[in-house]
Structures are given as C-alpha cells and as structure tokens.
Amino acid sequence: MTRRDEIIKQAGLLFSLKGYSAVSMRDIAKAVDIKAASLYNHLPSKQAILEAIVLNLANTFVNHIHDVNQNPSFSTRQKLSEIIQQHIDLSLQQPESVAVLNTEWIHLNGEALDKFKAKRFTYEQELREIIKNGIQEQSITKRDPEVILFSILSTLRTLNLWVAKRKHLTVEDLKADLETILLYGIIRQNKS
Amino acid sequence: MTRRDEIIKQAGLLFSLKGYSAVSMRDIAKAVDIKAASLYNHLPSKQAILEAIVLNLANTFVNHIHDVNQNPSFSTRQKLSEIIQQHIDLSLQQPESVAVLNTEWIHLNGEALDKFKAKRFTYEQELREIIKNGIQEQSITKRDPEVILFSILSTLRTLNLWVAKRKHLTVEDLKADLETILLYGIIRQNKS
DNA sequence: ACACAAAACTAACAATTGTTAGTTTATACA
DNA sequence: TGTATAAACTAACAATTGTTAGTTTTGTGT
C-alpha cells in the first residue's frame, strides 16, 4: 500500500467519525504521523482525498450492479440477491468508505460532485430497471417502483451503521435473514 | 413563532444542507438577516442550536413510540403501522430536522450527546420489544430480531431523503405501499 | 416624555483553517 | 561516490471560526 493510499485510508476513517468539515489536514497528518504540509507531496488538496474515497467506491458499486443487470443468466430474484450480497460485503470490508459515500459526498464541489451525482443516478437507474422488469414479469408485487426502490436501497445503503455489531450471526446467516426480510417481509400470514 | 424558533429553524435548514461544521454562525445570522453577534441575544452557543433541534425531535419520536407500545388495544401489526405513519409524517413535515437528527448528532458534546444516545437506545429498545413480542406470538417471522429491527428502521429513518419527491402518490398511497413492502415484502409467490 | 428592557449593532479577540514557499533529509540509481 | 528525486520538514500567509465586550437602536408601558 502506497503512502497516498495510507493517507486516504486514514482520512476516510476520520471523515467517517467526525465528518469532512470537522477534520483538518493537521488531523489527517497526525494520523499518518507526518506534518500537514507533507501531505501535499502526495495529494493536491483536501478535496482530492474526499473525491478519491467517494468516486472510487461509487464506481465499485456501479460496475457491480451493471454486470449483474447485464447477466442474462440471472433471474430478477438472483439479481437482487447479488446486489444484497455486494452491499453486505462492502459494508463489512470498508464500512468507513461506505459511511463517507453515504454522508460526506455533499462536500464535493464542481466536476467531482457532478460525477458523483451521475454515478448515483446510474446506480438507481439500474436497480429501477430490475424492479420494473420484475413487476412486468410478475415476480415482484405491483407496487410503486420508486417506493420499492428506495425502501430497499435505504436499508442496503445504511448497512454499515449496524452490520458490524451482528457478531452472533455468520455472514451467511445475516444474508439469509436480510434477504428474507427485504424480499418476503416480516409478517407471517395464516398463522397457527 | 419567536425569534429563537426562527433562528433554530433556519439553522436546521442550513445544517441539513451543508452539515453542522460547514455552517458558520455568520451563515445562520445572514439567514435571519441579522449579524452573528446578535444571535447570542437569543441562544448561548452554536452547540445549543444543534441540541435544540436534535433532542426536541428525538423526544417526539420516543414519546410517540412509547405511547404506541403501551397501548394495549393495538396489535403488533397495528403498532408497526402507527410507527410507519409517524416516520412518514415527520419526514414530510420537518425533513430538515429529521436530516439533522440522522446525521449531525455526532457533533453533540458531553451531556447532550449522552442524552441523545439514551433516547436513541430507548427508541430502538421499544421497537425491539414490539418485534420480539411479534415473533413470540408468531405474527412476525422467526428471523433475527436485530436484523428485522435495523432493516425496517433504516428505511424509516431515511425516508426524508426521498419521500418529498414522491408527488405522484398521495400520502395515503405512499403509506399503503410502504407498509406492504416493509411488512409483506416485494416478491410475489405462486405467480400466474 | 421618560425609563427600561430587548435586540440589534460595531469591533475585536485568539484559535484554527487549507495551502504555499523554501529548505532539509532520506532513498535509489549511475 | 555523486547525483537526482521523493518525501519530509519549518515557517508563514490570509481567511474564517465561535465568541465576547461595549454601545446603540427599537419598542413598550407609564
């Protein structure tokens, strides 16, 4: 891991804990045990650090959902399963980056902000397509696609806030439960 | 509405748009068309503004779920329905405050931070109880209560991010769809 | 008209901010 | 060994931060 990567990683951790604006370049420097001015040997600005974190992860998400959606061997149900898996994995592997992606993107400016918004829109569009296809082929209930989209996406996007605490469950069990809850709901009908 | 209330309201709007740390007292002052120093005739500090927003709304949520949970005439299903309704209502009526509650509470300090965390824990505990009761009486599927809890709560807590855009749906239809999706899932079984 | 309080103002403070300039140290290759 | 490059350093900058002190304006009741 290069020095630049280390700085970005530490900065991501700090951003996720205190928010972009509340973290100074001196804070970041202290975390990698150098002086603030030395950061500029590796990165052009504070903004560039945020951009690297946000756009990098956004690309990972978009590329994955695109591959999934494009794969003709996947059913709607399988596509959703793959997407859930991806969110669980990334939320466990890089919870700080996910946190930054979720809440600190507002502090992006200009071109980077535009890029982020485009990526986000693309991601939502891919998932929207999967949902609409599902409704059309009658594998998904005929409810408002936007409500379905954001309802599921809200849960997946904020997995990072609680998923690390679930140590009593294996990742497999977590995935199985989450999938059941998201796809089949929680109400048990025809009881007894 | 008192001057203090107006300041808090404008500050909440700014906090929700740019984050607590990125909003200066001069920004807030400009929003109510006075000078920064004049704010201190109405409020003791910037922190106090954040405290007012966060703790006030946290209390609203906790009081409501407590009343719901305590009401013996509600079934598990009805309790969940009431809670969903409350989240929709507040997300529509005061989306900025909900946003601040969700993401800016980290910037609270000392006693106020403790109070917030206690409120949040109480809220989760009330919902946890409803879910566990539901599982016991077999009206809720026997899945990990924590996964059920945070899965639903994630969606409800972030309603503010998208619910305002759904103008093609009445609030009633939105609620009906959201309830169906959260409680009964999206997968249509036994199709055709 | 007068007094009093509420609420605005100006001016300033010490601290912190992101960033730059210029310099020294460490590393790698000829 | 000498040289070039990378990466650290010190020092400083202009701007912005939350907040305070002291003063003036505004509005209300007598």
Side-chain angles (χ1 to χ4, degrees):
Chain A
M1 194 164 65
T2 133
R3 201 90 170 109
R4 181 175 178 274
D5 293 339
E6 198 194 344
I7 293 169
I8 290 175
K9 188 183 155 194
Q10 293 296 330
L13 175 59
L14 291 173
F15 290 167
S16 74
L17 290 174
K18 320 205 300 166
Y20 176 79
S21 299
V23 175
S24 71
M25 291 300 270
R26 286 164 181 83
D27 292 334
I28 298 169
K30 190 164 283 177
V32 289
D33 207 37
I34 58 175
K35 300 289 173 181
S38 305
L39 294 171
Y40 290 84
N41 285 319
H42 306 276
L43 291 150
S45 66
K46 188 184 176 190
Q47 270 280 321
I49 302 177
L50 182 62
E51 290 177 20
I53 298 170
V54 170
L55 295 182
N56 190 13
L57 188 57
N59 278 329
T60 304
F61 272 114
V62 166
N63 292 342
H64 180 264
I65 201 172
H66 184 72
D67 290 348
V68 167
N69 201 9
Q70 221 178 17
N71 192 328
S73 73
F74 282 146
S75 67
T76 295
R77 174 71 171 70
Q78 286 170 322
K79 286 179 181 176
L80 292 174
S81 182
E82 289 291 323
I83 291 163
I84 292 170
Q85 182 75 60
Q86 164 85 333
H87 276 271
I88 291 176
D89 290 345
L90 288 177
S91 298
L92 283 169
Q93 286 158 21
Q94 12 184 347
E96 310 85 9
S97 298
V98 174
V100 173
L101 180 67
N102 281 341
T103 62
E104 304 307 318
W105 61 266
I106 346 173
H107 300 105
L108 291 173
N109 286 331
E111 201 183 331
L113 180 58
D114 292 342
K115 267 191 201 167
F116 163 79
K117 285 183 176 173
K119 292 281 171 195
R120 186 182 55 177
F121 180 77
T122 302
Y123 191 89
E124 291 170 0
Q125 195 67 11
E126 296 270 4
L127 186 50
R128 189 177 280 121
E129 208 176 281
I130 294 171
I131 291 167
K132 284 185 173 175
N133 279 342
I135 294 175
Q136 206 162 21
E137 71 190 19
Q138 300 193 335
S139 59
I140 290 183
T141 51
K142 204 178 167 186
R143 298 282 167 168
D144 189 293
E146 296 302 301
V147 180
I148 295 178
L149 169 60
F150 285 106
S151 174
I152 291 183
L153 208 42
S154 297
T155 298
L156 296 181
R157 278 177 170 162
T158 54
L159 277 176
N160 66 102
L161 297 176
W162 59 274
V163 94
K165 296 181 213 153
R166 309 273 61 74
K167 302 223 170 100
H168 60 288
L169 279 182
T170 65
V171 181
E172 288 75 26
D173 288 345
L174 169 68
K175 200 213 165 188
D177 275 8
L178 186 60
E179 213 171 303
T180 306
I181 293 163
L182 286 180
L183 303 184
Y184 298 98
I186 64 166
I187 295 288
R188 198 184 219 183
Q189 283 155 303
N190 307 325
K191 67 168 161 173
S192 92
Chain B
M1 195 163 65
T2 134
R3 202 87 170 108
R4 180 174 179 275
D5 294 337
E6 197 193 346
I7 293 170
I8 290 174
K9 188 184 155 193
Q10 293 296 330
L13 175 60
L14 291 173
F15 289 167
S16 74
L17 290 173
K18 319 206 300 166
Y20 176 79
S21 298
V23 175
S24 71
M25 291 300 269
R26 286 164 180 83
D27 293 333
I28 298 170
K30 192 165 282 178
V32 288
D33 207 36
I34 59 176
K35 299 290 172 180
S38 306
L39 293 171
Y40 290 84
N41 286 319
H42 306 276
L43 292 150
S45 67
K46 189 185 176 189
Q47 269 280 321
I49 301 177
L50 183 62
E51 290 178 20
I53 298 170
V54 170
L55 295 182
N56 190 14
L57 188 56
N59 278 329
T60 304
F61 271 113
V62 167
N63 292 341
H64 180 265
I65 201 172
H66 184 71
D67 290 348
V68 167
N69 202 8
Q70 220 179 18
N71 191 328
S73 73
F74 281 146
S75 67
T76 295
R77 174 72 171 71
Q78 285 170 321
K79 286 179 181 176
L80 293 174
S81 182
E82 289 291 322
I83 291 163
I84 292 170
Q85 181 76 60
Q86 164 83 333
H87 276 271
I88 291 176
D89 289 345
L90 288 177
S91 297
L92 283 169
Q93 286 157 22
Q94 12 184 348
E96 310 86 9
S97 297
V98 174
V100 173
L101 179 68
N102 280 341
T103 62
E104 303 308 317
W105 61 265
I106 346 173
H107 300 105
L108 290 174
N109 286 332
E111 202 184 332
L113 180 58
D114 293 342
K115 267 190 199 167
F116 164 79
K117 284 183 177 173
K119 292 280 170 195
R120 186 183 55 175
F121 180 78
T122 302
Y123 191 90
E124 290 171 0
Q125 195 66 10
E126 296 269 3
L127 186 50
R128 190 177 279 120
E129 209 175 281
I130 294 171
I131 291 167
K132 284 186 172 173
N133 279 343
I135 295 175
Q136 205 161 21
E137 71 188 20
Q138 300 192 335
S139 59
I140 290 183
T141 52
K142 203 177 167 187
R143 297 283 168 166
D144 188 294
E146 296 302 302
V147 179
I148 295 178
L149 169 60
F150 285 106
S151 174
I152 291 184
L153 208 42
S154 296
T155 299
L156 297 181
R157 277 177 171 161
T158 54
L159 278 176
N160 66 103
L161 297 176
W162 58 274
V163 94
K165 296 182 213 151
R166 310 272 62 75
K167 300 225 171 100
H168 60 288
L169 278 183
T170 66
V171 181
E172 288 75 25
D173 288 345
L174 169 68
K175 200 213 163 188
D177 275 8
L178 186 60
E179 213 172 303
T180 305
I181 293 162
L182 286 180
L183 303 184
Y184 299 97
I186 65 166
I187 295 288
R188 200 184 218 182
Q189 283 156 303
N190 306 324
K191 67 169 162 173
S192 91

